[in-house]
Amino acid sequence: MAKLKSLPAIRQADRDLATMLERHEGRRRHPYRDQVGKLTIGVGRNLDDRGLSADEIDLLLANDIAIARAGCRALFPAFDGFDSKRQAGLISMAFNLGQTRLAGFRRMRAAINDGNWIGASNEALDSYWALQVGHRAEEIAALLRSSSKPR
C-alpha cells in the first residue's frame, strides 16, 4: 500500500482515516469495476455516481499538460525557443498521442528540427492521425504554419 505522502497538511485523525480507507478500498491507478459493477478509481472513487469535480478535472488537465510539454521538450531540442502558437500545437499533439506515438512522426520532427514549419504542417496532415482527429489536425497544422512574434 502506498503511503499517503501526497495528502496536503491535514489533521492526524484525517490522515489515520485516509490510511484506513485505503486499506479497506485499495488504491488503484486505473479504472476498474467494483463488486457491484460501478466504475471506480483511486481509493474507492465511484465514477459512475460521483464523477469528478471541476477542480479535480482542472488538476488532471494541468498534470497532463505538464506531461505533454515535457514530452515535447524531449522530442524537440529547441522547443522552448518555438513561439507560443507552435508550442501549443505540438503540446496538443503530445497530449492526444503521447510522447511515444508523437515520436513516430519522424518526417514531421525532422522538418521541425530543420525549421521547415510548412513541411512539418504537411507531414502532420499526411497521417492516419489526421484522418482520425479531423478538425483538430487542421487547427494544429495551422498553428505550426503560423508564427507569432518572438518572445
Side-chain angles (χ1 to χ4, degrees):
M1 183 181 315
K3 294 289 180 193
L4 301 171
K5 297 176 195 171
S6 62
L7 280 178
I10 59 172
R11 298 178 319 124
Q12 184 60 44
D14 286 342
R15 184 171 295 280
D16 293 344
L17 174 60
T19 299
M20 182 185 72
L21 288 170
E22 186 173 335
R23 189 174 61 250
H24 292 168
E25 296 283 344
R27 181 183 192 95
R28 304 262 185 104
R29 294 179 54 200
H30 299 282
Y32 65 97
R33 296 281 172 192
D34 70 7
Q35 303 90 322
V36 295
K38 300 287 187 176
L39 186 62
T40 307
I41 195 167
V43 180
R45 168 58 70 91
N46 178 336
L47 292 173
D48 285 337
D49 294 341
R50 185 164 172 209
L52 299 172
S53 71
D55 287 344
E56 291 165 327
I57 293 168
D58 291 344
L59 177 64
L60 291 171
L61 177 59
N63 287 340
D64 290 344
I65 289 170
I67 290 166
R69 180 176 282 114
C72 288
R73 286 183 172 133
L75 294 173
F76 305 103
F79 180 79
D80 287 329
F82 299 162
D83 67 55
S84 60
K85 289 181 181 181
R86 289 174 174 158
Q87 284 185 1
L90 292 170
I91 290 170
S92 180
M93 284 187 79
F95 187 96
N96 180 242
L97 293 162
Q99 181 180 337
T100 301
R101 286 190 297 274
L102 181 58
F105 283 68
R106 289 179 194 86
R107 290 188 307 263
M108 183 191 81
R109 289 177 46 224
I112 289 170
N113 290 330
D114 287 341
N116 178 1
W117 292 100
I118 301 298
S121 171
N122 291 338
E123 291 296 337
L125 291 173
D126 186 25
S127 67
Y128 182 64
W129 167 80
L131 294 174
Q132 291 176 312
V133 300
H135 179 71
R136 180 184 196 152
E138 294 168 16
E139 184 175 349
I140 290 170
L143 289 170
L144 296 179
R145 285 190 306 272
S146 72
S147 179
S148 58
K149 302 250 188 230
R151 290 184 265 168

